[in-house]
């Protein structure tokens, strides 16, 4: 019975060509994570719903993919929920596992569960898919990879410095020019305080965070809408309108909040980070952005966001410090700081700017044409030598028309084709065709592998 | 509210140490797949249930993890199924997606869905997790990785030869001594024919496949139980009792089935493969095992199974040729052959035989002790040089007691610790301690990175 096959909406197949480009990104990130002393861990795709629920807000709970219990899952389901078609309340009776929604909550769960085995500070990275039952749209998928690095168990701001340096290294290796924006939650707290709205810090930051998208006028209107006084909004203006160097912005903040406890602490932290980072002469621009908040509530200190400079797209990396990651699992007082690379957006940036190296399209370096059994046997021998020398190669498996074999090599972007016909077999030679230049030369079979040294 | 965190039964967290060992296996397999011209693809974790159901038998359908539809999933569910608590029939009304059960069915779906873009023969590999709601037990998990390589669109037996060579290369690189057993389904068909039970080939092969576990007597008893005549069982004995070289076994098979059409074809195929493989002088033993069936029904030609020689464990790799992989999705006549490495069992074998390289335990090569801000700033500079030279390193983030910092380095198996104290800072030197030998030396800071060339 034939079915027309398809995949669930919001999910993707990745072809060899896409995999090569994605792996270029993942391998670069992985390599830099390792160079900076982060070690990989992996957690299960499924977590208990008790681990996931309530960690992402009501909206997040709805976006969790839930897994139907196995077997006779309705056996003990309450009759009244079934007859009422009460989806919402039935769920906990028929599902106890869900797919992970991000890598942060599983990491917190991991740290608490394995605390006895961990050496603190614990630096881990994790590259795994996450799932969200969001409405799919351009650039938003229901299954996508996150690439996170976090260190927990250390308050030192040197961790922030190292993470900024790490981001710079990844972006430099990928060839993406970026601006790394930083801010500090304590400054935002101090700002709310000095404009006379200390209890409105979340409302204020959620709104001013949108200034890039909405512009100044709409931000001010929304602040008034949210009940801030005209006075408070006026007092906020230096924060929203000051342009210029980091030094100019720091000076503005010193004037605005330097006299408060939170402001002084926040300034001290951000200056420490900026000074160390400046000394490292990063390739990327590091910019103090006092309106940066990234959703917030989550972060308690440094906030980090990375934007590509040569293409219009949202944030491609973000992160920050959080003071109590593991509190919800009963382990208090563990501070952490982390970043997350957005692999899909980075892929889009690199595609738009044509930044992928040309050889990511190459699959094998050498294809052997197949002229029949005896010639194939010789090819198999030579391929063992080539592979021992690290040269990827393959024999066309069927002795079909040569034209078809060459067209296969062309489709796969194979740079060299080796021909062993009757003559070559008799003479102990091979003929090598360079598919880029079209030139062809015949060499001793023993010499073949040296051509690719 | 504190929760005691845990993970669903049958799933696993992987620590940095476990990841290092697992990645050693995965990277080895990946590298050899590439050297043999296989290209990676990835498919979504979720497939439509219409893609998965009915492909793994009734038992398999029950073992699929099904995902609850999002939103008000009960809205259109039939009342009669709800009131009857009819789990079995309700499922299709409240779930339309499932987690992939293996990599073969998604691959078949991929080939059919993308047929217009594929160059045939298509050689792909895939390393991704799969999920089965099996009862967890020692060595059996609900989430585990499969590592598959398949080629579709070519009937050539050279594909089999290449796959056997590939298996040999992987096992050699991993340091595992193996016996690669091969058989051919056509020989089994011919055997059923000559013993007068041509319609019982599945029953016969399922039973004789168990000879390693059950022994000859129980196999014979089960064959009689299944309704084979004593005559048929007697006629089968040479197959079950012949020992000796591949040549001896081939001779036995020639006598037994060489005169039948299927037997002649099967012998021709297996001899072709054995001759080519012998010419390649593999490190592994390749053995004709005429009772090998591997569940069957699936395979139509060559059957492959790999066993470790130095430890008692089941098959660690298997595969074979199938004639109609994509027929179920409406694309007929596509022959393929593939293998699948069992990463978890390979991990167990390597652990039992202590085959992991010692340096898989190493995370970073160098740790810098932290004596305070100025010293740390120098360390950050030097680390950029080291990392540019490919040396993984880290600075202990807090200026705590030196003893604590060294104990961190010890726990993480860091081989070198660099000390920059006040004296070193003033002199422009660094002191390097070799953690293995305990020796310590002071060098110019500029010379540091050359120590790790």
């Amino acid at each position: 019975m034939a079915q027309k096959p398809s995949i669930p909406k919001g999910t993707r197949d990745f072809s060899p060509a896409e995999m090569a480009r994605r792996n270029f990104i993942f391998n670069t990130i992985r390599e830099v994570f390792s160079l900076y002393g982060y070690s990989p861990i992996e957690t299960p795709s499924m977590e208990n719903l008790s681990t996931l629920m309530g960690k992402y807000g009501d909206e997040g709970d709805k976006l969790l993919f839930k897994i139907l219990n196995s077997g006779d899952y309705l056996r003990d389901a309450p009759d009244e929920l079934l007859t009422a078609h009460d989806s919402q309340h039935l769920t906990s009776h028929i599902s106890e596992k869900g797919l992970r929604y991000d890598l942060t909550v599983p990491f917190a769960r991991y740290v608490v569960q394995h605390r006895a085995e961990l050496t603190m500070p614990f630096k881990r990275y994790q590259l795994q898919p996450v799932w969200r039952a969001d409405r799919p749209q351009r650039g938003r998928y229901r299954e996508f990879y996150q690439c996170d690095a976090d260190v927990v168990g250390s308050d030192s701001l040197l961790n922030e410095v190292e993470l900024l340096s790490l981001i710079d290294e990844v972006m430099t290796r990928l060839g993406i020019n970026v601006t790394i924006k930083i801010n500090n939650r304590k400054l935002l707290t101090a700002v709310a305080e000095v404009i006379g709205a200390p209890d409105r810090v979340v409302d204020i930051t959620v709104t001013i965070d949108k200034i890039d998208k909405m512009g100044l006028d709409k931000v001010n209107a929304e602040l008034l809408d949210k009940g801030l006084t005209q006075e408070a909004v006026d007092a906020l203006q230096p924060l929203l309108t000051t342009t210029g160097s980091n030094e100019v912005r720091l000076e503005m903040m010193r004037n605005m909040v330097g006299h408060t406890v939170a402001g002084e602490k926040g300034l001290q932290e951000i200056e420490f980070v900026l000074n160390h980072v400046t000394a490292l002469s990063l390739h990327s621009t590091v910019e103090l952005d006092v309106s940066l908040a990234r959703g917030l509530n989550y972060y308690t200190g440094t906030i980090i966001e990375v934007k590509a400079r040569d293409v219009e797209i949202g944030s491609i990396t973000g992160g920050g410090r959080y003071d109590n990651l593991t509190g919800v699992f009963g382990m208090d007082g563990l501070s952490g700081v982390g970043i997350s690379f957005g692999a899909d957006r980075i892929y889009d940036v690199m595609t738009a700017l044509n930044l992928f190296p040309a050889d990511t399209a190459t699959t094998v370096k050498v294809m052997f044409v197949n002229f029949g059994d005896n010639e194939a046997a010789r090819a198999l021998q030579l391929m063992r030598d080539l592979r021992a020398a690290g040269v990827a190669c393959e024999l066309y498996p069927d002795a079909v028309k040569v034209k078809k074999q060459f067209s296969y090599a062309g489709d796969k972007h194979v740079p060299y084709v080796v021909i062993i016909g009757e003559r070559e077999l008799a003479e102990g030679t091979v003929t090598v065709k360079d598919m880029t230049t079209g030139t062809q030369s015949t060499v001793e079979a023993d010499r073949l592998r040296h051509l690719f040294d």
Side-chain angles (χ1 to χ4, degrees), chain A:
Chain A
M1 181 196 56
Q3 307 165 346
K4 190 169 180 274
S6 64
I7 52 177
K9 63 179 177 182
T11 70
R12 293 166 288 176
D13 284 326
F14 296 108
S15 70
E18 289 163 326
M19 286 295 293
R21 293 193 291 267
R22 286 170 66 83
N23 282 336
F24 179 74
I25 296 171
F26 289 136
N27 290 339
T28 300
I29 293 173
R30 223 177 254 129
E31 199 176 325
V32 176
F33 280 165
S34 292
L35 283 175
Y36 278 75
Y38 288 84
S39 301
I41 69 161
E42 281 186 9
T43 61
S45 302
M46 305 170 184
E47 293 275 353
N48 292 322
L49 281 178
S50 56
T51 299
L52 301 176
M53 296 286 281
K55 309 302 188 298
Y56 309 104
D58 289 347
E59 201 46 44
D61 283 352
K62 284 187 200 142
L63 299 184
L64 291 171
F65 278 110
K66 297 169 188 88
I67 293 168
L68 199 55
N69 292 342
S70 299
D72 187 8
Y73 56 89
L74 286 180
R75 200 180 47 199
D76 300 322
D79 284 319
E80 62 276 20
L81 297 178
L82 290 171
T83 50
H85 290 243
D86 187 344
S87 303
Q88 201 193 332
H89 294 100
L90 184 68
T91 303
S92 63
H93 296 275
I94 64 173
S95 167
E96 52 191 33
K97 293 184 287 291
L99 294 179
R100 90 184 140 238
Y101 180 89
D102 70 359
L103 301 178
T104 306
V105 168
F107 174 53
R109 193 266 311 145
Y110 179 94
V111 168
V112 176
Q113 193 174 330
H114 300 277
R115 62 179 117 182
E117 310 145 32
L118 300 183
T119 304
M120 292 290 175
F122 180 55
K123 296 166 74 174
R124 85 85 173 79
Y125 77 80
Q126 201 168 348
L127 269 74
Q128 289 193 277
V130 301
W131 296 268
R132 297 181 186 178
D134 241 325
R135 214 154 55 90
Q137 49 178 258
R138 202 179 116 66
R140 191 204 281 163
Y141 304 100
R142 292 185 147 191
E143 173 178 53
F144 58 98
Y145 270 78
Q146 290 192 334
C147 313
D148 285 19
D150 291 82
V151 46
V152 292
S154 165
D155 295 328
S156 168
L157 292 164
L158 288 170
N159 295 301
E160 273 88 334
V161 175
E162 280 276 84
L163 285 171
L164 293 171
S165 174
L166 186 161
I167 290 170
D168 179 62
E169 183 67 33
V170 167
M171 295 304 166
T172 303
R173 288 182 183 218
L174 295 177
I176 306 175
N177 290 316
V178 297
T179 298
I180 305 176
K181 299 180 169 198
I182 65 169
N183 196 14
N184 192 298
R185 164 72 194 250
K186 297 184 176 78
L187 295 178
L188 295 168
T189 304
V191 164
E193 204 179 311
V194 297
I195 67 168
D199 53 337
R200 306 301 302 278
V201 61
V202 172
D203 280 336
I204 294 169
T205 50
V206 166
T207 301
I208 66 175
D209 202 28
K210 294 187 262 186
I211 191 161
D212 278 358
K213 281 181 205 152
M214 306 202 319
L216 181 62
D217 291 348
K218 285 192 179 159
V219 162
N220 285 336
E222 186 172 303
L223 290 168
L224 292 169
D225 263 7
K226 285 188 170 175
L228 257 70
T229 64
Q230 184 64 50
E231 230 180 339
V233 173
D234 288 346
L236 199 61
Q237 294 311 296
L239 189 88
L240 301 175
T241 56
T242 302
T243 53
S245 68
N246 289 339
E247 199 34 64
V248 171
R249 292 167 199 231
L250 277 172
E251 191 53 35
M252 180 273 294
M253 288 307 284
R254 275 186 214 112
N255 291 332
M256 193 169 178
V257 301
H259 57 288
T260 67
V261 174
E264 193 190 352
K265 180 76 176 140
L267 279 162
Q268 205 182 327
E269 291 189 8
I270 206 100
E271 287 184 77
F272 180 94
V273 172
L274 281 171
N275 288 341
H276 270 290
V277 165
T278 305
L280 291 177
S281 316
L282 301 187
H283 177 268
S284 315
T285 307
V286 179
E287 185 183 293
L288 171 61
D289 178 352
V290 288
S291 71
L292 179 68
R294 288 186 61 77
L296 209 75
N297 262 346
Y298 190 72
Y299 297 120
T300 52
T302 306
I303 302 169
I304 301 167
E305 185 165 276
V306 181
K307 293 213 163 190
R309 298 168 73 172
D310 305 324
V311 61
E312 264 316 316
I313 205 165
S315 151
I316 57 174
T317 293
R321 180 172 287 277
Y322 37 82
D323 264 353
N324 197 7
L325 176 71
T326 52
V328 69
F329 296 116
M331 185 179 179
D332 279 318
L334 202 62
S335 179
V337 56
I339 54 168
S340 183
F341 288 92
D344 289 302
R345 286 222 180 131
I346 289 174
Y347 186 98
D348 291 345
V349 169
M350 293 187 66
T351 303
L353 300 175
N354 201 16
L355 294 176
F356 288 107
D359 67 2
T360 48
T362 301
T363 46
V364 295
K365 195 150 190 180
V366 185
M367 188 200 83
F368 287 73
V369 174
N370 189 334
F371 285 103
D373 266 8
N374 293 332
E375 294 84 353
R378 169 66 60 86
L380 291 174
Q381 296 283 0
L382 292 173
M383 289 201 296
R384 273 185 87 85
D385 293 344
L386 284 182
R387 288 163 180 161
V391 179
C393 53
E394 64 179 325
L395 166 66
Y396 193 90
D398 303 274
V400 297
K401 285 202 182 111
V402 174
K403 195 181 161 193
K404 189 171 179 190
Q405 300 189 42
F406 267 92
S407 121
Y408 172 89
D411 286 350
K412 286 187 78 175
H413 304 279
V414 179
Y416 298 96
V417 169
V418 172
I419 298 155
I420 306 174
E422 245 179 85
R423 202 198 60 194
E424 282 88 354
L425 197 60
E427 289 175 356
T429 59
V430 297
T431 298
V432 183
K433 178 164 184 175
D434 181 326
M435 295 289 280
T436 319
T437 62
T439 55
Q440 204 164 297
S441 58
T442 300
V443 298
E444 301 291 313
D446 294 347
R447 296 275 317 146
L448 180 61
R449 84 187 137 91
H450 300 294
L451 297 183
F452 308 106
D453 279 349

